[in-house]
């Protein structure tokens, strides 16, 4: 029982689905005359096969039909040419109709597509003729002028698109150019120009406002320009329709250029070929569009969506504008019809008003500036950060050097002070107990003296460094024999070196080199270099001091066979408070200021220092001083005691041995 009910329900549902499908199919196929699912379209052209306008309509039609591909239906298109221009008389038309009746007697024509007036009129007279193969067929047409008369019965079978009337281009200009009161239409003597002239003449009653239409007609550009020059210069607009020549036809862009040379009026066109040649724009009938429109209408009829109309007057035309010329002629963008085609706009730039365009350009400029500025700021910030990091590292390094210096300095100060204090104590006890002898006391006093000198050197160096820092270190130059000054200084240190079994050898290429120096300061330099060489050399080493003259310079080389300095430290040793650390350091006592003072003194003498060294092999310090004679050789009043200086500079050399 249950099974039976289920079966019944399924059959019922299937029946409903099938019958619904049937309704759909029958509505879709209403237009088809037979059940073969082939849509037979008969296209009838007014003119002959080579007519470009009709060709473009057929092209648009077949192309769109292929694209739409009505489902389950094959479109079969046959094309006939009435060729009315060959014989526009009744006898010829009747023969043509006879031919159609014979040719299509056994075919099922579903749709007739009549292109242009002549074809339409021939087809229309057959639609209610029982004997015709066109009897009660669906007729679609394009390019027919608006003045056709269709009876109510005929209306059931006829629909199509009218031609543009000429009013569109005129009203477009009147709407876009408020001051225009005259429109000059440039025509040649061909049919297309004649058609346009007719249309415009017939449409005057429905223009937006009163306007004078001035037809300028000739095949020759010279005539056209001459006539154009004669018209009033202001409140004019131009429509170029014809194609003109001088000896031969001239390119369209040249025509527009020539017009622009004699007139500032806005230029429009009705001819598609002109739209990219320098005009502002125009209203153009486009055959391809008309064919496309008819194909879509057939598709709608097949699908039962056809709208109820007889003639759509302007469906095929299109407003076209040139992107650059819109701005060149300052056209109000807001008044340009919405569905206009914009040509000469390869990058699809948006169509915005001049003010909007300026605002957009300003915005883009601001955005780019901001990006550039942010980028620059970012780069500069990074640079600043890197610089700050460097400064911080340097400050940290200097801080470390200062800390090292203070630690070292405390040690430096404490060591001689301890020696002085303990020696004084011992001497005091010996004297109190009367257990002293003279030799013992002299030895102790010498120790006290040497350590006091060490303290004094340290304090002197510190004072000098401070003077360099605040720029108050001054020198007193005298023209002196620098060879003699250095030789005396070297000789005065021999005893100190001897205590460490170190030989000091002095050699010179010149006996006399007179140059302006501060004697005392140069002595300090040499003593400092020698004290370093002694301090940083082991026993039995040797120290060489060598002088030579080259060009206008004197070269003083102090070389030793001591412990040497590693390459990476050479540049650092002139830094204040710098001492080579780790294993190389603390071989001898020192404060790390000596070479800093040496360099400053040489700089004040306008010279420079080079250091060549190899770890374990020795060091050569080369001083290069320019030879310089001063005019006013003021006698240096400063009394310098070389012995005292040597004692001071050598005070940190260990002479225990
Ligand atoms: P210091 O008082 O410590 O000797 P200097 O400024 O004279 O200070 O020298 C700086 C550092 O350079 C020294 O601590 C030492 O490590 C290194 N130095 C200078 N001269 C020599 C040299 N002739 N041989 C090896 N190292 C040297």
């Amino acid at each position: 029982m249950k099974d039976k009910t289920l079966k019944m329900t399924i059959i019922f549902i299937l029946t409903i689905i099938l019958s619904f499908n049937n309704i759909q199919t029958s509505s879709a196929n209403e237009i088809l005359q037979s059940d073969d699912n082939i849509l037979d379209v008969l296209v009838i052209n007014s003119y002959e096969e080579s007519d470009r306008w009709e060709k473009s309509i057929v092209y648009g039609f077949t192309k769109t039909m292929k694209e739409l591909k009505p489902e389950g239906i094959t479109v079969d298109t046959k094309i006939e040419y009435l060729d009315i221009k060959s014989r526009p008389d009744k006898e010829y038309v009747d023969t043509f109709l006879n031919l159609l009746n014979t040719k299509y007697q056994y075919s099922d024509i579903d749709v007739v597509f009549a292109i242009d007036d002549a074809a339409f009129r021939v087809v229309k007279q057959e639609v209610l003729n029982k004997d015709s193969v066109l009897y009660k067929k669906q007729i679609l047409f394009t390019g027919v002028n608006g003045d056709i008369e269709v009876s109510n019965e005929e209306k059931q079978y006829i629909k199509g698109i009218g031609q543009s009337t000429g009013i569109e281009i005129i009203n477009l200009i009147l709407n876009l150019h408020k001051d225009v009161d005259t429109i000059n239409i440039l025509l040649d003597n061909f049919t297309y120009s004649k058609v346009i002239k007719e249309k415009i003449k017939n449409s005057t009653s429905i223009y937006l406002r009163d306007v004078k239409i001035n037809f300028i007609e000739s095949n020759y550009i010279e005539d056209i320009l001459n006539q154009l020059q004669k018209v009033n210069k202001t409140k004019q607009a131009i429509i170029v329709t014809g194609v003109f020549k001088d000896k031969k036809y001239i390119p369209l862009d040249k025509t527009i250029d020539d017009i622009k040379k004699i007139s500032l009026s806005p230029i429009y066109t009705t001819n598609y070929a002109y739209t990219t040649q320098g005009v502002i724009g125009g209203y153009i009938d486009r055959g391809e569009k008309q064919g496309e429109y008819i194909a879509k209408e057939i598709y709608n009829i097949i699908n039962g969506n056809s709208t109820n109309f007889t003639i759509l007057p302007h469906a095929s035309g299109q407003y076209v504008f040139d992107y650059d010329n819109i701005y060149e002629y300052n056209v109000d963008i807001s008044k340009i019809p919405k569905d206009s085609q914009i040509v000469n706009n390869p990058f699809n730039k948006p169509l915005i008003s001049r003010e909007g365009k300026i605002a957009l350009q300003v915005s883009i400029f601001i955005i780019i500036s901001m990006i550039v500025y942010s980028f620059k700021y970012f780069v500069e910030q990074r640079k600043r950060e890197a610089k700050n990091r460097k400064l911080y590292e340097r400050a940290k390094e200097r801080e470390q050097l200062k800390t090292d210096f203070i630690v070292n300095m405390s040690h430096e100060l404490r060591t001689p002070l301890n020696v002085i204090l303990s020696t004084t104590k011992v001497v005091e006890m010996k004297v109190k107990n009367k257990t002293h002898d003279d030799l013992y006391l002299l030895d102790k006093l010498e120790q006290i003296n040497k350590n006091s000198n060490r303290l004094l050197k340290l304090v002197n160096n510190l004072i000098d460094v401070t003077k360099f820092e605040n720029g108050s270190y001054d020198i007193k130059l005298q023209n002196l024999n620098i060879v003699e000054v250095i030789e005396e200084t070297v000789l005065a240190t021999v005893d100190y070196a001897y205590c460490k079994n170190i030989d000091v050898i002095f050699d010179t290429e010149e006996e006399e080199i007179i140059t302006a120096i501060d004697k005392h300061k140069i002595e300090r330099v040499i003593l400092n270099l020698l004290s370093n060489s002694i301090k940083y050399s082991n026993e039995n080493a040797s120290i060489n001091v060598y002088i030579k003259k080259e060009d206008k310079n004197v070269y003083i080389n102090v070389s030793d066979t001591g412990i040497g300095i590693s390459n990476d430290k050479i540049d650092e040793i002139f830094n204040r408070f710098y001492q080579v650390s780790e294993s190389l350091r603390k071989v001898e006592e020192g404060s790390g200021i000596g070479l800093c003072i040496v360099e400053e003194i040489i700089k004040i003498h306008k010279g420079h220092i080079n250091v060549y060294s190899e770890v374990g092999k020795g060091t050569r310090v080369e001083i290069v001083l320019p030879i310089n004679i001063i005019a006013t050789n003021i006698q240096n009043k400063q009394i310098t005691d070389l012995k005292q200086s040597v004692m001071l500079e050598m005070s940190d050399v260990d002479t225990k041995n």
Side-chain angles (χ1 to χ4, degrees):
M1 184 66 191
K2 260 186 180 175
D3 267 9
K4 213 178 170 188
T5 326
L6 189 71
K7 249 182 183 176
M8 294 278 286
T9 321
I10 290 171
I11 289 168
F12 178 71
I13 292 170
L14 277 175
T15 320
I16 287 180
I17 292 172
L18 280 176
S19 60
F20 181 71
N21 246 359
N22 241 354
I23 294 165
Q24 288 259 314
T25 323
S26 68
S27 119
N29 289 344
E30 223 169 50
I31 194 171
L32 299 180
Q33 297 297 310
S34 62
D35 290 337
D36 57 2
N37 275 359
I38 297 174
L39 180 81
D40 293 292
V41 181
L42 175 63
V43 179
I44 303 177
N45 289 274
S46 295
Y47 309 110
E48 31 95 43
E49 199 176 345
S50 63
D51 187 277
R52 275 179 59 202
W53 168 250
E54 297 194 329
K55 240 184 181 171
S56 68
I57 297 174
V58 175
Y59 171 76
F61 173 75
T62 39
K63 184 172 152 245
T64 316
M65 218 62 223
K66 265 186 208 146
E67 278 166 11
L68 293 173
K69 275 193 225 138
E71 216 184 308
I73 294 171
T74 313
V75 180
D76 186 5
T77 309
K78 300 263 183 331
I79 304 177
E80 296 295 340
Y81 301 92
L82 171 61
D83 193 9
I84 195 71
K85 282 183 194 162
S86 63
R87 259 193 75 174
D89 54 276
K90 191 171 175 317
E91 192 189 341
Y92 171 74
V93 172
D94 288 347
T95 315
F96 177 78
L97 284 171
N98 280 338
L99 175 86
L100 285 190
N101 287 331
T102 313
K103 193 169 173 184
Y104 296 100
Q105 190 176 3
Y106 303 110
S107 341
D108 299 309
I109 297 167
D110 298 307
V111 179
V112 181
F113 177 13
I115 299 179
D116 288 348
D117 292 66
F120 172 70
R121 280 172 220 287
V122 168
V123 169
K124 183 182 163 262
Q125 76 187 47
E126 295 294 288
V127 78
L128 297 178
N129 175 4
K130 278 192 187 123
D131 302 327
S132 171
V133 286
L134 306 180
Y135 178 62
K136 292 196 174 174
K137 301 289 177 193
Q138 175 68 62
I139 312 289
L140 291 158
F141 64 83
T142 60
V144 176
N145 287 322
D147 56 353
I148 55 164
E149 273 175 27
V150 187
S151 69
N152 279 343
E153 197 184 353
E154 284 171 341
K155 268 186 189 165
Q156 295 174 41
Y157 309 102
I158 295 176
K159 57 171 67 174
I161 310 160
Q163 285 281 57
S164 63
T165 55
I167 186 178
E168 298 86 356
I169 185 77
I170 304 290
N171 279 347
L172 179 74
I173 294 172
L174 296 180
N175 190 30
L176 290 175
H177 304 275
K178 280 279 160 274
D179 57 336
V180 165
D181 63 11
T182 308
I183 297 177
N184 301 291
I185 305 181
L186 314 187
L187 306 162
D188 57 20
N189 291 329
F190 289 95
T191 323
Y192 176 66
S193 281
K194 283 185 181 136
V195 169
I196 295 287
K197 186 178 174 183
E198 275 318 299
K199 280 185 196 174
I200 292 175
K201 265 183 161 176
N202 296 336
S203 314
T204 37
S205 57
I206 30 177
Y207 291 153
L208 274 182
R209 61 172 187 270
D210 277 352
V211 61
K212 189 179 163 230
I213 305 286
N214 184 23
F215 295 104
I216 299 180
E217 286 171 89
S218 171
N219 281 343
Y220 292 91
I221 187 78
E222 207 183 327
D223 282 352
I224 296 283
L225 296 177
N226 277 341
Q227 289 184 60
L228 194 60
Q229 224 155 7
K230 281 181 202 140
V231 299
N232 202 347
K233 291 275 175 270
T234 56
K235 299 183 178 181
Q236 309 276 313
I238 297 168
I239 298 173
V240 193
T241 292
V243 177
F244 308 104
K245 58 183 179 181
D246 40 29
K247 283 187 189 92
K248 52 182 184 182
Y249 280 100
I250 54 172
L252 305 187
D253 56 342
K254 171 122 189 358
T255 305
I256 304 297
D257 274 355
D258 288 348
I259 296 169
K260 281 184 178 178
K261 273 180 205 151
I262 59 160
S263 169
L264 294 174
S265 310
I267 309 171
Y268 287 82
T269 188
T270 54
N271 184 340
Y272 191 68
Y274 272 115
T275 51
T276 52
Q277 307 299 318
V279 301
I280 299 174
Y283 184 79
I284 316 286
D285 269 326
R286 299 197 57 197
E288 203 183 318
K289 278 244 159 202
Q290 295 198 0
E292 182 186 316
Y293 194 89
I294 295 297
K296 283 183 180 161
E297 186 50 32
I298 292 177
Y299 184 77
N300 286 340
I301 296 170
I302 293 170
N303 288 321
N305 299 329
S306 175
T307 42
N308 195 11
F309 70 92
T310 306
I311 288 195
L312 272 191
H314 322 301
S316 66
Q318 183 168 28
Y319 291 100
V320 180
F321 283 88
D322 177 297
Y323 188 85
D324 291 337
N325 282 289
I326 289 172
Y327 293 102
E328 195 181 313
Y329 284 87
N330 205 5
V331 173
D332 184 349
I333 308 275
S334 65
K335 288 190 176 150
I336 290 176
K338 289 284 165 293
D339 53 351
S340 301
Q341 183 192 354
I342 308 295
V343 294
N344 271 347
N345 185 17
F347 303 111
N348 271 332
K349 288 179 273 180
L351 198 58
I352 42 177
S353 66
R354 191 174 273 258
E355 296 74 23
K357 211 174 172 191
I358 292 170
L360 188 74
Q361 278 166 351
V362 169
S363 312
I364 290 172
F365 176 76
I366 291 173
I367 290 169
I368 291 176
S369 306
M370 277 169 75
I371 292 172
V372 171
Y373 178 79
S374 312
F375 182 71
K376 232 176 116 190
Y377 180 80
F378 176 74
V379 171
E380 268 167 17
Q381 178 78 5
R382 292 297 293 263
K383 268 192 200 157
R384 261 200 300 275
E385 274 171 22
K387 203 175 155 194
N388 285 346
R389 216 174 302 127
K390 243 187 203 166
L391 285 174
Y392 172 73
E393 293 297 332
R394 283 187 80 143
K396 228 169 95 178
E397 230 167 64
R398 286 177 78 93
E399 207 46 46
Q400 187 59 43
L401 280 175
K402 273 190 181 161
T403 317
D404 284 356
F405 169 72
I406 291 165
V407 172
N408 197 25
M409 199 57 68
S410 316
H411 178 76
E412 281 285 283
L413 288 169
R414 208 174 47 194
T415 313
L417 273 173
N418 276 342
V419 176
I420 292 167
L421 286 172
S422 60
T423 314
T424 320
K425 203 99 200 146
V426 173
V427 170
E428 192 187 353
M429 267 171 56
K430 287 269 181 186
V431 173
K432 270 187 189 163
N433 298 339
K434 301 204 189 309
T435 54
H436 63 282
D437 62 64
D438 287 354
L439 272 178
Y440 179 83
L441 279 183
L442 276 176
D443 179 48
K444 292 300 165 199
L445 282 175
E446 197 195 317
Q447 270 185 43
I448 292 172
N449 196 22
K450 190 183 167 191
N451 281 285
S452 304
N453 277 333
R454 231 171 116 176
L455 285 174
L456 188 59
K457 176 185 174 181
L458 204 62
V459 173
N460 281 346
N461 279 349
L462 279 175
I463 292 170
D464 284 351
V465 165
T466 322
K467 281 185 178 170
F468 286 130
E469 245 172 25
N470 62 28
S472 60
Y473 194 86
D474 64 330
I475 55 165
K476 299 191 169 58
L477 293 177
Q478 267 185 291
N479 294 332
L480 289 173
N481 179 3
I482 191 169
V483 181
E484 197 183 324
V485 172
I486 293 169
E487 188 175 10
E488 274 174 13
T489 316
V490 174
L491 289 179
T493 63
V494 171
D495 287 347
Y496 288 87
Y498 186 70
C499 295
K500 276 182 82 174
N501 272 335
I502 295 171
D503 276 341
V504 182
I505 302 153
F506 175 81
D507 196 5
T508 180
E509 281 183 9
E510 310 281 333
E511 283 309 319
E512 187 181 87
I513 306 169
I514 305 288
T515 181
I517 52 167
D518 182 320
K519 183 171 180 263
H520 178 58
K521 304 283 161 37
I522 294 295
E523 280 172 2
R524 276 192 72 186
V525 167
I526 302 299
L527 286 172
N528 215 304
L529 296 182
L530 287 172
S531 98
N532 276 348
S533 287
I534 299 170
K535 277 197 291 184
Y536 302 110
S537 292
N538 295 320
E539 283 196 20
N540 302 320
S542 71
I543 298 169
N544 264 281
V545 180
Y546 182 71
I547 305 178
K548 65 174 181 178
K549 188 174 124 180
E550 244 175 53
D551 303 325
K552 284 174 181 164
N553 292 315
V554 51
Y555 291 78
I556 306 147
N557 277 278
V558 178
S559 33
D560 61 52
T561 52
I563 59 172
I565 310 162
S566 61
N567 259 345
D568 58 323
K569 301 286 190 303
I570 285 185
D571 286 341
E572 309 274 2
I573 59 173
F574 293 99
N575 285 344
R576 214 180 313 156
F577 312 134
Y578 185 83
Q579 294 179 308
V580 176
S581 56
E582 293 119 37
S583 57
L584 296 185
R585 231 194 100 208
K586 290 293 156 219
V587 182
E588 285 289 343
E589 300 298 340
S591 57
I593 328 179
L595 283 180
C596 165
I597 293 173
V598 166
E599 194 184 33
E600 291 294 340
I601 293 174
I602 296 302
K603 266 197 218 157
I604 296 176
H605 280 83
K606 302 202 164 48
H608 65 271
I609 306 179
N610 304 316
V611 179
Y612 310 94
S613 187
E614 206 176 315
V615 174
K617 292 213 167 147
T619 304
R620 174 161 73 92
V621 180
E622 181 179 62
I623 292 172
V624 185
L625 284 176
I627 297 170
N628 165 40
I629 307 289
I630 49 167
T632 43
N633 198 5
I634 304 157
Q635 208 54 48
N636 191 349
K637 295 268 163 56
Q638 198 187 357
I639 301 153
T640 61
D641 182 350
L642 181 60
K643 226 176 130 193
Q644 179 64 29
S645 301
V646 175
M647 257 164 54
L648 270 183
E649 295 301 332
M650 294 293 160
S651 58
D652 52 2
V653 174
D654 185 5
T655 50
K656 277 276 154 59
N657 302 335

